[in-house]
Amino acid sequence: MRRFRLISGATLAFVMLAMVADAQTPGLADPQSGASTARDLDAPISDQLKLPKWFRVGGQYKGRFEDDRGISFVPAANDTYYLQRVRILFAIMPTRWLRFVSEVQDSRNMFYGNRAFPAYTSDPFDLHQAYMEIGVPETTGFSVKVGRQELALGSMRLIGSGEWLNSGREHDAVRAAYNNVEHGLKVEVIKANLVLVDPIRFNRDIPREHWYAVYGTAKKWIPNASVEPYYMLKTTWNTKGELGGLGDTYVSTLGGRIKGTTPGRVDYEVEVAKQIGHYATDPISALAGAYVLGWRPTDLPWKPRFSAEYDHASGDRNNKDGSHQTFDNMYCGHGYYGFADQVGWKNVRSARAGFDFSASRKLQFRFDALNDFLDTVQDSLYNIGGVAKFTNRKATSAHVGEEVDFTVNFQATRNMKFQAGFSHIFPGLYLMETTKGSSYSVPYVMWTKNF
């Protein structure tokens, strides 16, 4: 803990001193015009280097200190570490409708203990993105993007960019779209393979796993709302069913999302997804939903907002009946069902109450309180990545526990952002009966600099 405080304190002091020094550095005067010629160090590096518009260079540095307490709900299972990620991007744009993009990345987990690194925290020098894009997706017409790329759809409850993951998440994909700006309509068709992060080899597709999607967006069907129907298909070869039968898995997800606002400063979001298909030789029948309601009581500049949310996703109530009811949350994004990421959209019933506000144009605060239950104790507790962490079919309670989250965001400059947060889980009876019963907490400090 002392090491964490020393490193974080020294680093934050250095950053703040650098910012102050930069802000106070006087500009050099042009001897002829008298105008300041000081270089804007917060400007994109391409502008600082005065590169031609058809050739862009950019990147990002991100660092995050974490001090995990009670890992896996085991007393004294603690670890303090620093996640560091550097990305450098190159883009060639010979015309407005054609661009070639490549992005390399180096992500590392520093100061971690003797246990294996958590997934997606370390991936020394690798290729993060490399794609060609034809068309201008923001205007009316067709566009297509082919190659390794980040993908995010809708709320990101099923397909998220994985920005919170230190190594990120990318897909080898073809993404085609038609956009009609005038009518507020957009349809995307995607064929993709998730890329497996491998710290010792070049990243490659996950073997035997593919997914496809058709995603629509209609912004004028309902006043002040976006209607987003979708269909997704995920396939996995050579899987084993509950009764031992071997076969391929096909999970079809048919769903929709509506997000909008109403008079009185009320906002809402509803998303429901139904899954069918077969898991090896077992038929699939699963259902999930998410319902969010927000209210801003005033138009004051500090923008206070109260929110409430309820999420559910089915679990398998009998692991030996030859039927599969566990909802598959696919490649979910971060920030749902608690910032601690210990609960995912899978065999869960979760209620959340929240409050957020802006202290200034650059400073925002958010507080959330959650109460989580399993849909059934006959299935497992899954984390945000869909990984089964604990199974206890003899548990007498489905109550996972309560979680509180507090986050602060500070946009220091247009290209530099700071974030700090604290998440704590109070274990419920299910965790008390299934684990060592320790509480779990994650304080963190993070900063991001785009260049």
Side-chain angles (χ1 to χ4, degrees):
M1 188 63 164
R2 182 183 179 186
R3 178 178 60 185
F4 173 74
R5 290 174 176 170
L6 288 173
I7 295 173
S8 60
T11 305
L12 282 173
F14 173 81
V15 172
M16 297 304 293
L17 286 172
M19 291 170 57
V20 172
D22 180 51
Q24 294 179 346
T25 300
L28 300 177
D30 188 312
Q32 296 185 3
S33 65
S36 174
T37 60
R39 196 169 101 184
D40 182 2
L41 297 180
D42 193 50
I45 192 67
S46 293
D47 295 341
Q48 295 187 47
L49 298 176
K50 298 182 179 179
L51 297 177
K53 294 297 183 182
W54 59 266
F55 179 58
R56 302 277 90 183
V57 176
Q60 182 188 82
Y61 175 84
K62 176 177 285 188
R64 183 168 84 235
F65 279 114
E66 289 194 12
D67 185 29
D68 293 1
R69 308 275 100 183
I71 298 170
S72 296
F73 306 99
V74 176
N78 310 323
D79 226 320
T80 301
Y81 51 94
Y82 178 65
L83 301 175
Q84 174 180 276
R85 186 181 76 194
V86 180
R87 289 177 176 172
I88 301 176
L89 179 143
F90 303 90
I92 298 175
M93 298 170 286
T95 70
R96 182 168 176 264
W97 52 267
L98 178 63
R99 69 195 72 179
F100 301 91
V101 176
S102 65
E103 185 177 41
V104 293
Q105 171 182 280
D106 186 274
S107 60
R108 297 174 187 259
N109 186 327
M110 306 168 67
F111 313 128
Y112 200 72
N114 295 324
R115 292 169 289 113
F117 287 163
Y120 289 93
T121 61
S122 182
D123 185 25
F125 194 77
D126 215 310
L127 181 67
H128 181 61
Q129 295 193 96
Y131 63 83
M132 175 184 69
E133 187 171 36
I134 302 173
V136 184
E138 299 81 15
T139 62
T140 296
F142 291 93
S143 63
V144 62
K145 183 188 289 188
V146 182
R148 183 160 295 184
Q149 57 192 277
E150 294 182 347
L151 290 173
L153 293 176
S155 66
M156 296 195 293
R157 285 186 171 88
L158 291 173
I159 305 295
S161 62
E163 180 57 28
W164 183 259
L165 302 172
N166 193 44
S167 299
R169 178 187 291 148
E170 60 269 4
H171 305 257
D172 288 336
V174 177
R175 183 175 190 171
Y178 173 74
N179 191 20
N180 189 311
V181 176
E182 180 182 358
H183 294 92
L185 295 173
K186 186 175 184 179
V187 177
E188 298 178 87
V189 180
I190 301 171
K191 188 275 179 188
N193 301 72
L194 180 67
V195 174
L196 176 68
V197 172
D198 191 332
I200 62 175
R201 291 189 295 177
F202 187 77
N203 292 348
R204 61 201 186 280
D205 296 346
I206 293 181
R208 305 184 301 278
E209 186 171 295
H210 313 269
W211 67 273
Y212 311 81
V214 179
Y215 200 97
T217 303
K219 296 184 177 181
K220 296 186 177 182
W221 287 359
I222 299 177
N224 302 315
S226 175
V227 180
E228 302 169 14
Y230 56 80
Y231 170 76
M232 301 179 189
L233 173 65
K234 180 179 176 182
T235 66
T236 309
W237 303 341
N238 300 328
T239 52
K240 181 183 291 187
E242 291 181 352
L243 302 180
L246 297 176
D248 299 336
T249 292
Y250 294 86
V251 182
S252 289
T253 303
L254 182 63
R257 173 179 180 243
I258 301 176
K259 182 177 182 180
T261 59
T262 68
R265 298 177 295 276
V266 174
D267 60 89
Y268 63 91
E269 180 183 357
V270 176
E271 183 167 0
V272 177
K274 172 68 176 178
Q275 291 182 339
I276 60 174
H278 58 86
Y279 191 95
T281 57
D282 304 338
I284 294 173
S285 179
L287 180 69
Y291 318 92
V292 184
L293 187 65
W295 176 53
R296 297 189 183 278
T298 176
D299 284 327
L300 290 175
W302 59 291
K303 301 176 182 178
R305 176 177 178 267
F306 296 92
S307 61
E309 179 175 355
Y310 178 70
D311 305 288
H312 65 88
S314 60
D316 198 319
R317 297 184 176 277
N318 188 331
N319 69 323
K320 294 297 182 182
D321 65 352
S323 180
H324 189 86
Q325 294 102 30
T326 305
F327 187 80
D328 185 352
N329 65 342
M330 296 183 66
Y331 315 112
C332 181
H334 165 75
Y336 292 110
Y337 332 113
F339 279 81
D341 289 340
Q342 300 302 297
V343 178
W345 205 25
K346 197 169 186 175
N347 187 35
V348 68
R349 296 185 180 274
S350 176
R352 179 188 66 81
F355 176 68
D356 58 88
F357 68 96
S358 299
S360 68
R361 184 172 57 87
K362 293 185 175 183
L363 184 63
Q364 293 85 38
F365 294 86
R366 174 174 173 175
F367 175 80
D368 291 290
L370 301 97
N371 198 8
D372 298 322
F373 292 80
L374 297 184
D375 181 55
T376 172
V377 297
Q378 297 306 306
D379 204 340
S380 304
L381 170 61
Y382 299 86
N383 66 12
I384 193 69
V387 177
K389 300 297 293 184
F390 306 105
T391 304
N392 181 6
R393 296 188 177 94
K394 296 182 179 180
T396 61
S397 172
H399 186 212
V400 175
E402 298 92 6
E403 178 174 340
V404 292
D405 300 320
F406 179 71
T407 59
V408 183
N409 288 284
F410 177 60
Q411 191 73 43
T413 68
R414 57 179 169 172
N415 285 314
M416 181 177 287
K417 181 178 181 178
F418 293 85
Q419 184 180 97
F422 177 78
S423 295
H424 186 85
I425 296 178
F426 301 92
L429 186 55
Y430 177 82
L431 286 176
M432 298 291 287
E433 294 179 341
T434 307
T435 70
K436 297 294 184 179
S438 171
S439 61
Y440 174 71
S441 61
V442 187
Y444 70 90
V445 178
M446 178 173 70
W447 49 91
T448 305
K449 168 64 176 176
N450 297 316
F451 55 87

